[in-house]
Amino acid sequence: MIRRLLLLASVAIAPLAAQDRRDESFYYPGSFNWQFLARYPEGAKLFNAFDYGHAVLYERLLALDSVRAVPALAREYDFLTTDLLVRPPRFSVAEEVIAPRYAKLAWPAKEMFEWAHVLHRQLYDVYADPRLDDAAKRALVERITDFYLADTKYAFLAEPKAMSLMDDQHFSQRFRRQHPQFNGLIWAYHWLQVGLYEPLLTEATEEAKRAGVRRVVEGFWAMVREGRYPETMPMTIAIAPVFSARHPRAAAIFDNLHMMHDIISDILVHPTWSDGEKRAEILRQVEEMRRPGTNLMGWDAWKRMGQAGGHVH
């Protein structure tokens, strides 16, 4: 009887051992949290819609073949641009609810994205908090970045990775060629996300900061209305040069994050790979985005990209 119970236990545990551990990280505590949402809701609430857009994109690409994905993503694009982004949800929805199949396939990648998104939100909160002076904000951003990087399992490298990882791998650029409109919307998300830092850092008064945030949000909506999206992936050093000069580690993390979004889309849209092959490639890319010393752009080259322009203000 004991031998049978042990055998049954081993059979039950074996599949679980092969699954990803569903662990998550908690944000850095402090009274500054939620300041951006409280003071700039027109920008902050959009992030909840962006999270849905990323998740539903991955779920559709994974579940549908290339033929069926075209009308499905067209419907999702229309829903996002005419409904969800116009009336964004007040609270974020767990991505595994929106994209259960993707979350099961690529939990480490999903967690890397979410952990970097937490960093984004906390840095907005720091710079939105009027109780902190400039020196305190700068120091706190660096402490939060240290806290983020301490989670070595899910943190992106804090040095700029080479653009060739996004553009020149054998599977690269499939998504943007097959779904240019949706890809443009994703790049507009990234433009807004990094562009919001500049007025928070550069404007002297609360009124001017609010006007600057509204200006960036309106710039995003102008892209959507006109369908004139960025022609290349927006780089933090180009869109937010003041933020990048102050906090180059965080800026590099965000550029690596945004490149990884493109990489995942290209993997999921691959027409012949099985789910297992897609998972294996995603995990390889996850490791590369965490690994120091390989496929680096170099800080000087990264800084030169800022000279190309594209500044928010």
Side-chain angles (χ1 to χ4, degrees):
M1 176 63 71
I2 293 174
R3 283 197 298 270
R4 280 201 296 270
L5 289 174
L6 289 173
L7 178 61
L8 289 171
S10 67
V11 171
I13 292 170
L16 294 177
Q19 295 176 3
D20 296 313
R21 180 180 175 184
R22 296 300 180 97
D23 51 350
E24 297 183 354
S25 299
F26 195 68
Y27 58 84
Y28 188 87
S31 61
F32 63 90
N33 283 303
W34 325 122
Q35 287 293 313
F36 188 71
L37 175 61
R39 298 176 182 279
Y40 308 98
E42 70 275 24
K45 289 182 180 180
L46 285 173
F47 303 146
N48 297 332
F50 291 174
D51 290 345
Y52 172 90
H54 281 303
V56 78
L57 167 64
Y58 294 156
E59 191 73 357
R60 297 292 179 267
L61 291 179
L62 187 59
L64 301 173
D65 59 38
S66 58
V67 174
R68 291 184 297 157
V70 172
L73 289 186
R75 289 191 296 271
E76 293 292 354
Y77 177 90
D78 288 342
F79 170 65
L80 284 164
T81 55
T82 64
D83 191 333
L84 193 65
L85 287 165
V86 177
R87 293 176 292 276
R90 184 177 179 184
F91 303 105
S92 62
V93 179
E95 287 195 21
E96 55 265 37
V97 175
I98 304 165
R101 182 172 174 179
Y102 167 73
K104 183 177 180 180
L105 180 88
W107 182 266
K110 185 197 79 71
E111 281 301 293
M112 282 187 76
F113 286 146
E114 290 192 356
W115 190 222
H117 292 162
V118 169
L119 179 63
H120 251 316
R121 285 161 170 78
Q122 290 207 283
L123 300 198
Y124 299 134
D125 286 338
V126 170
Y127 274 105
D129 192 337
R131 299 168 298 180
L132 300 173
D133 63 24
D134 190 62
K137 290 177 179 179
R138 291 182 186 225
L140 182 53
V141 164
E142 294 307 309
R143 288 203 303 275
I144 293 171
T145 304
D146 288 338
F147 180 77
Y148 165 85
L149 291 169
D151 188 345
T152 56
K153 186 175 181 180
Y154 294 130
F156 284 91
L157 188 69
E159 296 181 66
K161 285 284 188 174
M163 297 292 288
S164 58
L165 291 174
M166 183 181 74
D167 287 338
D168 298 329
Q169 299 196 68
H170 63 93
F171 54 80
S172 295
Q173 303 192 40
R174 287 179 179 271
F175 176 72
R176 74 185 76 163
R177 289 197 296 263
Q178 294 180 20
H179 305 281
Q181 191 177 48
F182 211 121
N183 180 75
L185 181 61
I186 297 294
W187 282 354
Y189 290 175
H190 298 165
W191 180 91
L192 175 71
Q193 286 173 312
V194 296
L196 284 169
Y197 288 112
E198 292 298 272
L200 295 177
L201 272 66
T202 61
E203 301 296 351
T205 67
E206 290 300 305
E207 182 179 359
K209 291 178 192 294
R210 282 192 291 271
V213 168
R214 287 195 299 270
R215 186 168 61 248
V216 176
V217 172
E218 177 52 36
F220 166 77
W221 278 114
M223 292 181 189
V224 174
R225 285 194 303 269
E226 299 168 11
R228 297 180 62 183
Y229 293 121
E231 295 182 359
T232 59
M233 190 197 81
M235 298 291 290
T236 309
I237 186 63
I239 306 303
V242 176
F243 173 81
S244 299
R246 283 193 188 185
H247 306 293
R249 294 189 304 164
I253 289 165
F254 296 145
D255 283 343
N256 293 338
L257 158 71
H258 294 160
M259 280 200 292
M260 188 65 170
H261 273 300
D262 276 41
I263 290 168
I264 295 288
S265 297
D266 287 335
I267 292 170
L268 294 179
V269 83
H270 197 287
T272 61
W273 282 349
S274 66
D275 284 4
E277 289 169 320
K278 290 177 180 179
R279 172 181 165 82
E281 189 58 54
I282 287 171
L283 294 182
R284 279 193 288 272
Q285 300 301 319
V286 163
E287 288 304 310
E288 177 57 44
M289 281 296 180
R290 294 164 45 196
R291 183 182 299 122
T294 63
N295 291 303
L296 297 179
M297 180 187 300
W299 288 110
D300 289 342
W302 181 73
K303 290 174 183 177
R304 286 195 295 272
M305 296 189 73
Q307 300 170 2
H311 300 181
V312 169
H313 77 289

